[in-house]
Amino acid sequence: MPITPFKVILKDAFDKRYGVGAFNIVNDLTLEAVLQAAEAAQSPVIVQTSVKTVKQIGLDVLYTMWFEMARKTTVPVCLHLDHCPDRAVISACLARGWDSVLFDASALPYQENRRQCIEVVAEAKQYGAGVEGEIEGIKGVEDGIGSDTESARQTLEVSLDFIRATGIDCFAPAIGNAHGVYKETPKLDAQRVTDIVSVQPLPMALHGGTGLTNEQFQDLIARGCSKVNISTALKITYMQSNLAFLREAEAKNKWDPPSLFKHVNQAVREMVTGYLEIFGSVGKA
Ligand code: 13P
């Protein structure tokens, strides 16, 4: 079962209360490493692309890379577009084959976000694709999208209204989480997840995964956070493993690109495997 609908991947995780890692890849090497780690762990996985990565690599090249690698996997995988406020990019990715999108209209007034999200869900349905929605900006700027100030949290009634009216497949509530590196372990409003899920049993997305403790991950996954986003940790692992290898290459005056790629691939795979173990998705494929 290789490329699998977003909704199907998340339903199994939600029902069995494990988390599916959603990793933001930045190029072919990191894409391959994420898929290899998931395959080796027999774990489902979500590959995410930021709008910046889509624009940098280009829609067709990125999708072709994804499709050629993903079709050979034996574990459930899907391609998701992370935080996207731009309807034109959403439409282009859906038409090209992305399996799901996060329509990020959190900067718009609530009613307008709700109205447009209903349209995005209808558009995605035409392709059999899924939608993640949000009504508050997650703190922190990620690949040029977001804000450093936390937006006010909406009430439970508003959250439930949004989920019911839009028909989204996954909801990303702000619970004190943030993108990027936390200065200290954040205090999370885990109860908000329980409050929403107990009335509206829908998979929740946990953003800002990098820097949370194993206990926080496991508690939130048990409450219904079935999609767990990791971006910053992948970027750090990617950059630091390149740096370490290049420093050694310089010291030895030995310059062999394939050896560098192998070294970085291993570091990213190990990082991903570690998260799959924490999220409890190993062997769930
Ligand atoms: P981190 O960058 O904190 O890992 O968060 C990732 C994320 O939520 C992507 O949307």
Side-chain angles (χ1 to χ4, degrees):
M1 189 164 56
I3 300 174
T4 304
F6 181 67
K7 194 179 180 152
V8 174
I9 291 181
L10 290 184
K11 187 183 182 316
D12 192 65
F14 187 75
D15 290 348
K16 298 183 184 151
R17 287 297 196 267
Y18 64 86
V20 180
F23 298 92
N24 290 60
I25 57 101
V26 294
N27 58 8
D28 57 337
L29 191 153
T30 48
L31 165 61
E32 183 180 40
V34 169
L35 293 175
Q36 286 170 336
E39 182 81 36
Q42 283 300 292
S43 165
V45 81
I46 295 171
V47 168
Q48 298 194 145
T49 57
S50 68
V51 173
K52 187 176 178 182
T53 300
V54 172
K55 289 186 174 166
Q56 226 161 32
I57 299 178
L59 204 73
D60 287 332
V61 174
L62 184 50
Y63 185 79
T64 305
M65 264 167 23
W66 151 258
F67 186 75
E68 282 306 309
M69 291 187 204
R71 72 187 176 89
K72 294 179 195 130
T73 62
T74 63
V75 297
V77 294
C78 72
L79 182 63
H80 178 79
L81 176 66
D82 200 17
H83 297 276
C84 183
D86 185 337
R87 293 283 299 274
V89 176
I90 296 242
S91 297
C93 286
L94 287 172
R96 192 65 187 87
W98 263 249
D99 302 291
S100 53
V101 295
L102 166 51
F103 176 50
D104 183 350
S106 54
L108 296 179
Y110 172 67
Q111 286 299 336
E112 182 56 15
N113 178 354
R114 182 185 189 270
R115 188 190 69 75
Q116 289 203 35
C117 193
I118 290 170
E119 291 178 356
V120 171
V121 170
E123 185 180 352
K125 258 204 187 107
Q126 294 172 23
Y127 302 98
V131 177
E132 177 182 338
E134 62 177 311
I135 52 178
E136 303 113 356
I138 309 285
K139 194 177 163 194
V141 179
E142 182 116 317
D143 280 358
I145 292 179
S147 156
D148 280 328
T149 44
E150 192 174 349
S151 58
R153 284 178 218 163
Q154 302 277 12
T155 61
L156 177 61
E157 288 65 35
V158 171
S159 307
L160 296 173
D161 171 70
F162 184 78
I163 292 169
R164 287 183 187 130
T166 57
I168 48 171
D169 305 292
C170 179
F171 181 64
I175 53 170
N177 46 340
H179 295 135
V181 178
Y182 293 103
K183 289 190 184 71
E184 53 193 48
T185 306
K187 289 195 177 43
L188 299 180
D189 182 4
Q191 186 57 39
R192 184 167 185 216
V193 173
T194 301
D195 290 346
I196 298 170
V197 168
S198 57
V199 185
Q200 201 68 46
L202 185 82
M204 299 288 119
L206 174 60
H207 283 250
T210 304
L212 300 185
T213 65
N214 293 1
E215 292 69 29
Q216 285 177 317
F217 282 129
Q218 283 155 4
D219 173 49
L220 287 158
I221 290 167
R223 290 170 187 265
C225 285
S226 314
K227 175 174 182 277
V228 187
N229 288 7
I230 301 290
S231 174
T232 302
L234 184 143
K235 289 180 187 169
I236 293 173
T237 302
Y238 179 78
M239 298 293 284
Q240 289 188 347
S241 56
N242 269 287
L243 183 63
F245 187 92
L246 289 171
R247 280 199 171 129
E248 214 175 298
E250 186 177 40
K252 292 181 183 156
N253 195 23
K254 210 166 160 230
W255 306 99
D256 178 44
S259 307
L260 167 68
F261 304 152
K262 197 170 156 203
H263 175 83
V264 176
N265 169 283
Q266 174 147 356
V268 176
R269 266 195 289 145
E270 281 170 11
M271 183 275 300
V272 171
T273 306
Y275 280 116
L276 300 180
E277 284 166 2
I278 296 166
F279 300 164
S281 65
V282 173
K284 296 290 197 300

Short mmCIF file of all heavy atoms in Angstrom, two decimals, residues 130-174:
data_model
loop_
_atom_site.label_atom_id
_atom_site.label_comp_id
_atom_site.label_asym_id
_atom_site.label_seq_id
_atom_site.Cartn_x
_atom_site.Cartn_y
_atom_site.Cartn_z
N GLY A 130 -7.25 15.49 0.65
CA GLY A 130 -7.70 15.89 1.98
C GLY A 130 -7.29 17.32 2.32
O GLY A 130 -6.46 17.93 1.64
N VAL A 131 -7.89 17.84 3.39
CA VAL A 131 -7.59 19.22 3.82
C VAL A 131 -7.39 19.28 5.33
O VAL A 131 -8.14 18.67 6.09
CB VAL A 131 -8.74 20.19 3.41
CG1 VAL A 131 -8.46 21.61 3.92
CG2 VAL A 131 -8.92 20.22 1.90
N GLU A 132 -6.35 20.01 5.72
CA GLU A 132 -6.13 20.36 7.13
C GLU A 132 -6.51 21.83 7.26
O GLU A 132 -6.25 22.61 6.34
CB GLU A 132 -4.64 20.14 7.47
CG GLU A 132 -4.25 20.53 8.89
CD GLU A 132 -2.75 20.33 9.15
OE1 GLU A 132 -2.08 19.55 8.45
OE2 GLU A 132 -2.25 21.01 10.08
N GLY A 133 -7.17 22.18 8.36
CA GLY A 133 -7.56 23.57 8.54
C GLY A 133 -7.09 24.13 9.86
O GLY A 133 -6.78 23.37 10.80
N GLU A 134 -7.04 25.45 9.94
CA GLU A 134 -6.67 26.09 11.20
C GLU A 134 -7.36 27.44 11.31
O GLU A 134 -7.68 28.07 10.29
CB GLU A 134 -5.15 26.22 11.33
CG GLU A 134 -4.47 27.06 10.27
CD GLU A 134 -2.96 27.19 10.54
OE1 GLU A 134 -2.57 27.50 11.67
OE2 GLU A 134 -2.20 26.98 9.60
N ILE A 135 -7.58 27.88 12.53
CA ILE A 135 -8.26 29.16 12.72
C ILE A 135 -7.42 30.13 13.54
O ILE A 135 -7.82 31.25 13.77
CB ILE A 135 -9.65 28.96 13.40
CG1 ILE A 135 -9.51 28.12 14.67
CG2 ILE A 135 -10.63 28.33 12.43
CD1 ILE A 135 -10.83 27.92 15.42
N GLU A 136 -6.24 29.66 13.98
CA GLU A 136 -5.31 30.57 14.67
C GLU A 136 -3.94 30.32 14.04
O GLU A 136 -3.61 29.19 13.70
CB GLU A 136 -5.20 30.25 16.17
CG GLU A 136 -6.50 30.30 16.93
CD GLU A 136 -6.92 28.92 17.43
OE1 GLU A 136 -6.23 27.92 17.13
OE2 GLU A 136 -7.94 28.86 18.12
N GLY A 137 -3.16 31.38 13.91
CA GLY A 137 -1.80 31.19 13.42
C GLY A 137 -1.00 30.45 14.48
O GLY A 137 -1.13 30.73 15.66
N ILE A 138 -0.19 29.47 14.04
CA ILE A 138 0.74 28.82 14.97
C ILE A 138 1.92 29.77 15.09
O ILE A 138 2.44 30.24 14.08
CB ILE A 138 1.21 27.44 14.44
CG1 ILE A 138 0.03 26.55 14.03
CG2 ILE A 138 2.15 26.76 15.43
CD1 ILE A 138 -0.78 25.92 15.12
N LYS A 139 2.31 30.06 16.32
CA LYS A 139 3.39 31.04 16.53
C LYS A 139 4.69 30.61 15.83
O LYS A 139 5.02 29.43 15.82
CB LYS A 139 3.62 31.16 18.04
CG LYS A 139 4.44 32.35 18.44
CD LYS A 139 4.54 32.41 19.94
CE LYS A 139 5.68 33.33 20.33
NZ LYS A 139 6.03 33.17 21.73
N GLY A 140 5.41 31.59 15.30
CA GLY A 140 6.70 31.30 14.69
C GLY A 140 6.62 31.35 13.18
O GLY A 140 5.66 30.90 12.57
N VAL A 141 7.67 31.91 12.58
CA VAL A 141 7.71 32.00 11.11
C VAL A 141 8.40 30.76 10.56
O VAL A 141 9.49 30.39 11.01
CB VAL A 141 8.46 33.28 10.67
CG1 VAL A 141 8.52 33.37 9.15
CG2 VAL A 141 7.78 34.51 11.26
N GLU A 142 7.75 30.09 9.62
CA GLU A 142 8.33 28.88 9.02
C GLU A 142 8.38 29.07 7.51
O GLU A 142 7.36 29.29 6.87
CB GLU A 142 7.42 27.70 9.36
CG GLU A 142 7.95 26.41 8.83
CD GLU A 142 8.31 25.45 9.94
OE1 GLU A 142 8.92 25.87 10.95
OE2 GLU A 142 7.97 24.29 9.81
N ASP A 143 9.60 29.03 6.96
CA ASP A 143 9.78 29.22 5.52
C ASP A 143 9.01 30.43 5.01
O ASP A 143 8.31 30.38 3.99
CB ASP A 143 9.39 27.95 4.75
CG ASP A 143 10.51 26.90 4.80
OD1 ASP A 143 11.56 27.21 5.40
OD2 ASP A 143 10.33 25.81 4.26
N GLY A 144 9.09 31.51 5.77
CA GLY A 144 8.53 32.78 5.33
C GLY A 144 7.05 32.96 5.63
O GLY A 144 6.48 34.00 5.31
N ILE A 145 6.41 31.95 6.24
CA ILE A 145 4.97 32.08 6.53
C ILE A 145 4.75 32.00 8.03
O ILE A 145 5.32 31.16 8.72
CB ILE A 145 4.16 30.99 5.80
CG1 ILE A 145 4.20 31.23 4.30
CG2 ILE A 145 2.71 30.95 6.29
CD1 ILE A 145 3.48 30.23 3.45
N GLY A 146 3.91 32.92 8.56
CA GLY A 146 3.60 32.91 9.99
C GLY A 146 3.97 34.22 10.65
O GLY A 146 4.32 35.20 9.98
N SER A 147 3.87 34.22 11.99
CA SER A 147 4.13 35.44 12.73
C SER A 147 4.78 35.08 14.06
O SER A 147 4.58 33.98 14.59
CB SER A 147 2.79 36.15 12.98
OG SER A 147 2.89 36.99 14.10
N ASP A 148 5.57 36.01 14.61
CA ASP A 148 6.23 35.73 15.88
C ASP A 148 5.34 35.99 17.07
O ASP A 148 5.71 35.70 18.20
CB ASP A 148 7.53 36.54 15.99
CG ASP A 148 8.64 35.84 15.19
OD1 ASP A 148 8.60 34.59 15.12
OD2 ASP A 148 9.50 36.53 14.63
N THR A 149 4.17 36.57 16.83
CA THR A 149 3.24 36.75 17.96
C THR A 149 2.11 35.73 17.85
O THR A 149 1.61 35.44 16.77
CB THR A 149 2.63 38.17 17.97
OG1 THR A 149 2.25 38.50 16.64
CG2 THR A 149 3.59 39.20 18.50
N GLU A 150 1.76 35.18 19.01
CA GLU A 150 0.72 34.15 19.02
C GLU A 150 -0.64 34.82 18.84
O GLU A 150 -0.93 35.84 19.47
CB GLU A 150 0.77 33.42 20.37
CG GLU A 150 -0.07 32.17 20.36
CD GLU A 150 0.10 31.34 21.63
OE1 GLU A 150 1.01 31.62 22.43
OE2 GLU A 150 -0.72 30.43 21.81
N SER A 151 -1.48 34.25 17.96
CA SER A 151 -2.80 34.85 17.80
C SER A 151 -3.72 34.34 18.92
O SER A 151 -3.48 33.28 19.49
CB SER A 151 -3.38 34.54 16.43
OG SER A 151 -3.46 33.16 16.21
N ALA A 152 -4.77 35.10 19.20
CA ALA A 152 -5.69 34.73 20.28
C ALA A 152 -6.38 33.42 19.94
O ALA A 152 -6.70 33.17 18.77
CB ALA A 152 -6.72 35.83 20.45
N ARG A 153 -6.54 32.56 20.96
CA ARG A 153 -7.20 31.27 20.69
C ARG A 153 -8.70 31.45 20.63
O ARG A 153 -9.29 32.19 21.40
CB ARG A 153 -6.84 30.28 21.80
CG ARG A 153 -5.44 29.76 21.61
CD ARG A 153 -5.00 28.81 22.68
NE ARG A 153 -3.60 29.08 22.96
CZ ARG A 153 -2.94 28.69 24.03
NH1 ARG A 153 -3.56 27.98 24.95
NH2 ARG A 153 -1.68 28.99 24.18
N GLN A 154 -9.31 30.77 19.69
CA GLN A 154 -10.76 30.81 19.54
C GLN A 154 -11.42 29.91 20.59
O GLN A 154 -10.77 29.06 21.18
CB GLN A 154 -11.15 30.32 18.14
CG GLN A 154 -10.54 31.12 17.00
CD GLN A 154 -11.33 32.38 16.69
OE1 GLN A 154 -12.20 32.78 17.44
NE2 GLN A 154 -11.01 33.02 15.58
N THR A 155 -12.69 30.10 20.79
CA THR A 155 -13.41 29.30 21.78
C THR A 155 -13.66 27.89 21.25
O THR A 155 -13.53 27.63 20.04
CB THR A 155 -14.79 29.92 22.07
OG1 THR A 155 -15.53 29.92 20.84
CG2 THR A 155 -14.68 31.34 22.61
N LEU A 156 -14.07 27.02 22.14
CA LEU A 156 -14.41 25.64 21.75
C LEU A 156 -15.56 25.66 20.73
O LEU A 156 -15.53 24.93 19.74
CB LEU A 156 -14.82 24.84 23.00
CG LEU A 156 -15.28 23.40 22.76
CD1 LEU A 156 -14.18 22.56 22.12
CD2 LEU A 156 -15.74 22.76 24.07
N GLU A 157 -16.53 26.54 20.95
CA GLU A 157 -17.70 26.62 20.05
C GLU A 157 -17.25 26.97 18.63
O GLU A 157 -17.72 26.38 17.66
CB GLU A 157 -18.71 27.67 20.54
CG GLU A 157 -19.49 27.28 21.78
CD GLU A 157 -18.63 27.12 23.04
OE1 GLU A 157 -17.64 27.89 23.19
OE2 GLU A 157 -18.92 26.22 23.83
N VAL A 158 -16.34 27.94 18.53
CA VAL A 158 -15.87 28.35 17.20
C VAL A 158 -15.09 27.21 16.54
O VAL A 158 -15.26 26.92 15.35
CB VAL A 158 -15.01 29.65 17.29
CG1 VAL A 158 -14.34 29.96 15.97
CG2 VAL A 158 -15.87 30.82 17.74
N SER A 159 -14.25 26.53 17.32
CA SER A 159 -13.46 25.42 16.77
C SER A 159 -14.39 24.34 16.23
O SER A 159 -14.20 23.82 15.12
CB SER A 159 -12.57 24.80 17.84
OG SER A 159 -11.80 25.79 18.47
N LEU A 160 -15.40 24.00 17.00
CA LEU A 160 -16.34 22.95 16.58
C LEU A 160 -17.15 23.38 15.36
O LEU A 160 -17.38 22.59 14.44
CB LEU A 160 -17.28 22.58 17.74
CG LEU A 160 -16.59 21.96 18.97
CD1 LEU A 160 -17.59 21.78 20.11
CD2 LEU A 160 -15.94 20.62 18.63
N ASP A 161 -17.54 24.64 15.35
CA ASP A 161 -18.29 25.17 14.21
C ASP A 161 -17.45 25.06 12.94
O ASP A 161 -17.93 24.66 11.88
CB ASP A 161 -18.66 26.64 14.48
CG ASP A 161 -19.24 27.30 13.23
OD1 ASP A 161 -20.38 26.93 12.86
OD2 ASP A 161 -18.57 28.16 12.62
N PHE A 162 -16.17 25.40 13.05
CA PHE A 162 -15.27 25.36 11.89
C PHE A 162 -15.12 23.93 11.37
O PHE A 162 -15.23 23.67 10.17
CB PHE A 162 -13.90 25.92 12.29
CG PHE A 162 -12.92 26.03 11.15
CD1 PHE A 162 -13.01 27.08 10.24
CD2 PHE A 162 -11.91 25.10 10.98
CE1 PHE A 162 -12.11 27.20 9.19
CE2 PHE A 162 -11.01 25.20 9.93
CZ PHE A 162 -11.10 26.26 9.04
N ILE A 163 -14.92 23.01 12.27
CA ILE A 163 -14.73 21.60 11.88
C ILE A 163 -16.00 21.08 11.18
O ILE A 163 -15.93 20.46 10.12
CB ILE A 163 -14.38 20.74 13.12
CG1 ILE A 163 -12.99 21.11 13.64
CG2 ILE A 163 -14.45 19.25 12.79
CD1 ILE A 163 -12.65 20.53 15.00
N ARG A 164 -17.14 21.35 11.78
CA ARG A 164 -18.42 20.84 11.24
C ARG A 164 -18.76 21.49 9.89
O ARG A 164 -19.14 20.82 8.94
CB ARG A 164 -19.55 21.12 12.22
CG ARG A 164 -19.50 20.21 13.43
CD ARG A 164 -20.70 20.49 14.33
NE ARG A 164 -20.57 19.76 15.57
CZ ARG A 164 -20.72 20.30 16.79
NH1 ARG A 164 -21.00 21.58 16.91
NH2 ARG A 164 -20.58 19.56 17.87
N ALA A 165 -18.59 22.80 9.82
CA ALA A 165 -19.01 23.53 8.61
C ALA A 165 -18.12 23.22 7.41
O ALA A 165 -18.61 23.14 6.29
CB ALA A 165 -19.00 25.03 8.89
N THR A 166 -16.81 23.05 7.67
CA THR A 166 -15.88 22.91 6.54
C THR A 166 -15.74 21.47 6.06
O THR A 166 -15.45 21.23 4.89
CB THR A 166 -14.48 23.42 6.92
OG1 THR A 166 -14.04 22.70 8.08
CG2 THR A 166 -14.47 24.91 7.20
N GLY A 167 -15.89 20.51 6.97
CA GLY A 167 -15.68 19.11 6.59
C GLY A 167 -14.21 18.77 6.38
O GLY A 167 -13.87 17.87 5.60
N ILE A 168 -13.32 19.49 7.08
CA ILE A 168 -11.88 19.21 6.98
C ILE A 168 -11.58 17.81 7.54
O ILE A 168 -12.36 17.26 8.31
CB ILE A 168 -11.03 20.26 7.75
CG1 ILE A 168 -11.62 20.49 9.16
CG2 ILE A 168 -10.93 21.55 6.96
CD1 ILE A 168 -10.75 21.34 10.06
N ASP A 169 -10.40 17.29 7.16
CA ASP A 169 -9.99 15.95 7.60
C ASP A 169 -9.10 15.99 8.83
O ASP A 169 -8.83 14.96 9.45
CB ASP A 169 -9.22 15.25 6.47
CG ASP A 169 -10.03 15.22 5.19
OD1 ASP A 169 -11.05 14.52 5.17
OD2 ASP A 169 -9.68 15.95 4.24
N CYS A 170 -8.59 17.17 9.14
CA CYS A 170 -7.63 17.31 10.22
C CYS A 170 -7.64 18.77 10.67
O CYS A 170 -7.77 19.67 9.82
CB CYS A 170 -6.25 16.91 9.68
SG CYS A 170 -4.90 17.03 10.84
N PHE A 171 -7.54 18.99 11.97
CA PHE A 171 -7.62 20.36 12.51
C PHE A 171 -6.36 20.65 13.33
O PHE A 171 -5.90 19.80 14.09
CB PHE A 171 -8.87 20.47 13.40
CG PHE A 171 -9.09 21.84 13.99
CD1 PHE A 171 -9.36 22.93 13.19
CD2 PHE A 171 -9.05 22.02 15.37
CE1 PHE A 171 -9.58 24.20 13.74
CE2 PHE A 171 -9.27 23.27 15.93
CZ PHE A 171 -9.53 24.36 15.11
N ALA A 172 -5.83 21.86 13.14
CA ALA A 172 -4.59 22.23 13.83
C ALA A 172 -4.87 23.34 14.87
O ALA A 172 -4.83 24.52 14.52
CB ALA A 172 -3.56 22.72 12.81
N PRO A 173 -5.18 22.97 16.10
CA PRO A 173 -5.46 24.00 17.12
C PRO A 173 -4.16 24.59 17.68
O PRO A 173 -3.16 23.88 17.79
CB PRO A 173 -6.19 23.20 18.21
CG PRO A 173 -5.65 21.82 18.11
CD PRO A 173 -5.26 21.60 16.67
N ALA A 174 -4.20 25.86 18.02
CA ALA A 174 -3.06 26.47 18.71
C ALA A 174 -3.18 26.09 20.18
O ALA A 174 -4.22 26.30 20.80
CB ALA A 174 -3.09 27.99 18.54
#
